Amino acid sequence: MSENALERFRLVATAEGISFIILLFIAMPLKYMYGMPIATKIVGMLHGGLFLWFIKAQYDAHKEYGFTTKFNTLAFIASLVPFATFYLEKKLKKMRA
């Protein structure tokens, strides 16, 4: 099955958003409330890798679909705001259809 850049970007955005939520609402409380710093080390590294993959997938999708500067900026900001990548994923799903 061949994946295009838009579909890959959509899937990576979802994974990045989930990892961000896990980092903020599970790993950080484990670290600060229960003294388990390993949680943020593991989830933080995973999230960092997914964030870099998100940027690469965004670049690839931009090259293939010619996203505007405004869309690219909003997509990047969405990666920094909890739950915003899920909104972005819905927008990308509509673009695919």
Side-chain angles (χ1 to χ4, degrees), residues 25-83:
F25 297 109
I26 297 175
M28 289 184 74
L30 285 173
K31 178 180 181 177
Y32 292 109
M33 294 186 337
Y34 299 104
M36 297 174 63
I38 192 71
T40 55
K41 287 181 183 179
I42 293 169
V43 178
M45 280 194 292
L46 175 66
H47 174 67
L50 286 169
F51 179 75
L52 292 175
W53 193 15
F54 176 91
I55 298 301
K56 170 74 167 97
Q58 181 180 4
Y59 176 77
D60 291 344
H62 164 72
K63 289 300 238 183
E64 189 172 318
Y65 287 88
F67 293 155
T68 64
T69 302
K70 180 181 176 183
F71 182 83
N72 277 326
T73 302
L74 292 174
F76 177 76
I77 290 169
S79 72
L80 305 174
V81 178
F83 300 102

